[in-house]
Amino acid sequence: MKQFFDFLPLIVFFIVFKITPKPIDVAGFHFTLGGIYSATQLLIASTILIYGFQYLKYKKLDKNQIITFIAVIVFGGFTLAFHSDVFIKWKAPVINWIFGFVFLFSAYISKKPLIRRMLEHAITMPDSVWKSLNFSWAIFFLALGTANLYVAFNFERYWVDFKVFGSLGLTLLFIIVQMIFIAKHIQPVKKEK
């Protein structure tokens, strides 16, 4: 359920972005609904609401939630302040690159790669497989960030569609491939006597 709430601001952004901009009056306030700028405003507002609620409920946010929250506020804020969609287009690539570098460097600054720390409670595999799996996640996030950037600045008409559906589809496909790879290397858990 938490993953759905994390995805909700992106859904709000997508829906509002697709609406043809039109002026709306609500209780004396004038607002334009639709297009990149109102979508960005609602992305920021929904991110603050959802992550604020999660923080109040659980007394913490995951590291990826903190990174996403900061990126939404910074890139969304710059988009609105400078009235330029260039900044919001950089959000997804930067977040993906941060995740990619975190995976990449976790293998060198920690005894265990990040992917192992995330999954070893559920599966057991040889060290070399953990390292390969971690490296593949790093490369995936770096490539996904680059693909997002390429689409954002070369295929502007499809940018939001790719950001929502293309990135999600590629991630799901990558996870399936990873599951097939992992299945070949899983070792039985040794039971303590």
Side-chain angles (χ1 to χ4, degrees):
M1 190 67 167
K2 186 174 86 55
Q3 288 80 11
F4 171 74
F5 285 114
D6 287 347
F7 199 61
L8 198 55
L10 186 58
I11 294 169
V12 169
F13 179 85
F14 176 78
I15 291 169
V16 175
F17 178 81
K18 291 294 186 176
I19 296 172
T20 302
K22 56 185 161 203
I24 295 177
D25 291 325
V26 178
F29 292 100
H30 305 291
F31 184 80
T32 299
L33 182 65
I36 189 71
Y37 300 110
S38 66
T40 301
Q41 290 169 338
L42 291 172
L43 172 69
I44 292 170
S46 61
T47 299
I48 290 170
L49 284 172
I50 287 171
Y51 287 171
F53 173 77
Q54 287 185 2
Y55 183 78
L56 290 173
K57 184 173 181 179
Y58 302 111
K59 304 295 184 232
K60 69 175 192 142
L61 293 174
D62 298 338
K63 289 176 186 170
N64 62 336
Q65 291 175 315
I66 293 168
I67 291 168
T68 301
F69 179 82
I70 291 169
V72 165
I73 299 302
V74 169
F75 290 101
F78 283 156
T79 295
L80 298 175
F82 295 105
H83 209 69
S84 172
D85 65 355
V86 168
F87 297 102
I88 200 70
K89 288 179 179 178
W90 276 94
K91 182 185 77 65
V94 169
I95 289 174
N96 281 304
W97 291 337
I98 289 170
F99 290 154
F101 284 119
V102 167
F103 273 98
L104 188 62
F105 291 120
S106 73
Y108 301 104
I109 60 174
S110 173
K111 292 181 180 181
K112 295 179 184 179
L114 179 59
I115 197 73
R116 183 173 187 165
R117 285 184 272 147
M118 292 169 62
L119 297 177
E120 75 177 341
H121 70 281
I123 57 177
T124 304
M125 297 187 300
D127 289 343
S128 61
V129 176
W130 284 118
K131 288 178 184 174
S132 295
L133 187 64
N134 193 74
F135 184 73
S136 67
W137 274 99
I139 296 302
F140 172 73
F141 278 119
L142 294 171
L144 187 60
T146 303
N148 268 285
L149 188 65
Y150 181 77
V151 171
F153 289 99
N154 291 290
F155 301 98
E156 289 188 39
R157 182 175 179 193
Y158 303 107
W159 163 64
V160 173
D161 298 322
F162 180 80
K163 179 180 170 162
V164 175
F165 301 110
S167 293
L168 180 62
L170 288 170
T171 302
L172 290 174
L173 179 64
F174 184 74
I175 289 170
I176 291 168
V177 170
Q178 291 299 299
M179 289 170 49
I180 293 167
F181 174 75
I182 289 172
K184 294 189 290 187
H185 298 285
I186 293 178
Q187 299 172 345
V189 177
K190 296 175 184 173
K191 295 182 182 179
E192 295 181 24
K193 293 181 181 181

